[in-house]
Amino acid sequence: MAEQHTPVALVTGAARGIGKGVAASLLGAGWSVAITDIDESAGQAAAEELAWLCAAGGRVEFIPMDVADELSVAACLERVEEDFGRLDGLVNNAGIADPDSGPVEQLSLEAWNHWLSTNLTGPFLVSKHFIGLLRESGGAIVNMASTRALQSEANTEAYASSKGGLLALTHALAMSLGSSVRVNAVSPGWIDTRSRQQQASDPLRPVDHLQHPVGRIGQPEDIGSLVAFLLSPAAAFITGQNVVADGGMTRKMTYVE
Ligand code: NAI
């Protein structure tokens, strides 16, 4: 009989927001999860907060990592090898999530590089270092892109470019890794990453929800369940794709009547 093992995932930028929701979904599905983030105190707190989900059979541990710093990525790989001994799923989620970089004439090269180094170079560096472990397990990668890779508001050049590049990195990696490691992207629309208490005490306007064809804004678990599917054997025939999860917004005609 084949040896049973608990699958292990690493989620970058999982101290809060969508990454934390993804970690929660994976733990709930029985995975072990390495929560990584540049923010050490928030990352440690997230791991403690999610520990109750380990009842499903996995375990959770925080490991600090700055995705834009290759030495930090290499150090995180050592920790994962020591503490988990394998890797089945990588979620490149860490990012500068604020899309507004101001008028392009005033966008400094430094600011541009900050968006690109976290949102695009980060997934490249983390994938590069963890591909060896993923090849051994026949694992999968999910890159967190955005519907802003496909459509734009004004003054979002750096963010949109970083996410467009991430879609291209996704299909290029999928071809390079072929049958060894599947690589897909998820493009969320508007996800409310505030706590449930904050959402209740400071609710969004009805129109914020109702403009979405599904009638509401997204929550981190909407993305978490999709990522858990894409990392699972149920998605074994899917690679190189971008899956949009936006409540239908990018399928909506927006001409003024
Ligand atoms: P968030 O700002 O709540 O969380 C991002 C996390 O990444 C933070 O914990 C932060 O400390 C971490 N981080 C930032 N730079 C890092 C670095 N260099 N190394 C390691 N960790 C780093 O953001 P949110 O909203 O949860 O977004 C997560 C991902 O989803 C981002 O890639 C974002 O672009 C994407 N996204 C978010 C949407 C939304 O509506 N919230 C919509 C579409 C995409």
Side-chain angles (χ1 to χ4, degrees):
M1 209 170 81
E3 196 189 334
Q4 294 291 319
H5 63 83
T6 302
V8 178
L10 183 151
V11 186
T12 69
R16 59 177 66 79
I18 292 175
K20 192 165 135 191
V22 168
S25 293
L26 290 169
L27 286 165
W31 288 67
S32 289
V33 179
I35 285 183
T36 71
D37 206 285
I38 197 172
D39 183 339
E40 297 197 21
S41 57
Q44 195 63 53
E48 285 164 22
E49 188 188 323
L50 297 180
W52 70 276
L53 287 164
C54 295
R59 70 188 177 88
V60 61
E61 180 179 319
F62 172 69
I63 303 175
M65 171 164 63
D66 175 353
V67 298
D69 175 350
E70 191 159 15
L71 289 178
S72 173
V73 174
C76 180
L77 172 63
E78 273 185 35
R79 277 281 300 275
V80 170
E81 285 174 332
E82 278 167 25
D83 296 358
F84 291 93
R86 62 179 297 124
L87 191 70
D88 302 87
L90 167 62
V91 185
N92 284 311
N93 163 82
I96 309 298
D98 179 0
D100 186 359
S101 48
V104 69
E105 304 95 312
Q106 289 155 33
L107 175 57
S108 69
L109 180 58
E110 190 187 8
W112 167 272
N113 284 338
H114 187 49
W115 261 281
L116 269 288
S117 65
T118 305
N119 295 9
L120 180 57
T121 308
F124 151 66
L125 286 176
V126 179
S127 300
K128 171 186 159 181
H129 283 266
F130 283 88
I131 278 168
L133 282 182
L134 292 168
R135 277 191 199 276
E136 284 171 21
S137 65
I141 298 174
V142 173
N143 292 323
M144 200 61 66
S146 166
T147 50
R148 290 175 185 275
L150 310 170
Q151 55 182 165
S152 291
E153 290 175 308
N155 301 332
T156 59
E157 280 76 10
Y159 184 87
S161 301
S162 71
K163 296 300 186 179
L166 189 54
L167 291 191
L169 177 64
T170 300
H171 60 69
L173 276 175
M175 294 307 106
S176 301
L177 303 180
S179 61
S180 310
V181 180
R182 293 181 303 103
V183 189
N184 290 293
V186 166
S187 283
W190 185 359
I191 307 299
D192 194 343
T193 55
R194 299 173 301 156
S195 70
R196 290 295 176 152
Q197 293 93 314
Q198 283 173 305
Q199 292 187 33
S201 63
D202 183 17
L204 296 168
R205 300 168 304 166
V207 68
D208 293 329
H209 291 288
L210 295 175
Q211 66 182 309
H212 290 76
V214 298
R216 67 168 176 85
I217 271 175
Q219 296 291 330
E221 52 267 31
D222 291 317
I223 305 305
S225 57
L226 174 57
V227 171
F229 165 71
L230 287 172
L231 291 183
S232 78
F237 200 49
I238 305 174
T239 196
Q241 301 301 312
N242 173 41
V243 184
V244 173
D246 69 345
M249 282 300 282
T250 50
R251 287 300 190 202
K252 196 170 156 181
M253 284 284 185
T254 53
Y255 294 118
V256 175
E257 304 244 329

